Amino acid sequence: MYRKVIFPVDLTHIDQLTRALQTAIDLALHYKAEICFVGVSGTAPSALARTPQEYESKLAGFADEQGKAHGLKSSAKACISHDPSIDTDKTLLAAIAELGGDLVVMQTHTPQALDYIWAGHGDTIAVHSKASVFLVR
């Protein structure tokens, strides 16, 4: 049913993505689908990586580690944005379409008052993506 599971990942908060990550892995294993870890980073140095190339290498390493640990086909796509704080949704939507993802699994949070004014990343992806979207709290 699903061929490619897309898992947007923020490597700086990987410890907060445990439930969603396990859900994505379980679904990829169940459907014998590839899982692609997509990350969005800026061009400026950060605590995680000094350069876009270093970020791409860390994301690829994470994807490889997950694939080997769980016995599934994995890949990574690092998307570099000039301003991730405003471009993340647009960048993720473009990556999902480019990669041909048919299922997106994302971590989300309990809705708060501000979410009724500005949609979260998961909400925006669910509304605008052609892929099915599974939001995990």
Side-chain angles (χ1 to χ4, degrees):
M1 180 170 197
Y2 298 111
R3 295 173 291 104
K4 186 174 277 191
V5 176
I6 305 293
F7 187 78
V9 62
D10 181 347
L11 293 176
T12 59
H13 298 292
I14 198 66
D15 59 318
Q16 299 171 20
L17 304 177
T18 307
R19 290 186 65 200
L21 178 59
Q22 191 58 57
T23 300
I25 289 166
D26 289 349
L27 288 166
L29 288 169
H30 177 78
Y31 289 107
K32 297 175 181 59
E34 175 186 351
I35 186 168
C36 183
F37 297 93
V38 177
V40 179
S41 182
T43 55
S46 70
L48 182 63
R50 293 180 311 265
T51 65
Q53 294 78 14
E54 183 181 359
Y55 175 78
E56 186 174 0
S57 176
K58 287 186 176 188
L59 183 63
F62 175 77
D64 189 50
E65 173 185 304
Q66 294 301 311
K68 288 178 181 172
H70 301 286
L72 51 84
K73 183 177 177 187
S74 65
S75 60
K77 176 158 181 67
C79 302
I80 305 304
S81 166
H82 293 291
D83 190 351
S85 65
I86 60 170
D87 289 343
T88 297
D89 294 337
K90 179 178 71 172
T91 304
L92 286 175
L93 285 165
I96 293 163
E98 176 189 324
L99 294 166
D102 47 14
L103 175 64
V104 179
V105 179
M106 295 180 75
Q107 183 76 37
T108 189
H109 59 273
T110 304
Q112 300 168 0
L114 209 50
D115 292 319
Y116 293 101
I117 298 168
W118 286 289
H121 298 300
D123 298 336
T124 302
I125 300 303
V127 169
H128 296 287
S129 178
K130 293 182 180 179
S132 295
V133 179
F134 190 135
L135 300 177
V136 180
R137 283 206 182 123

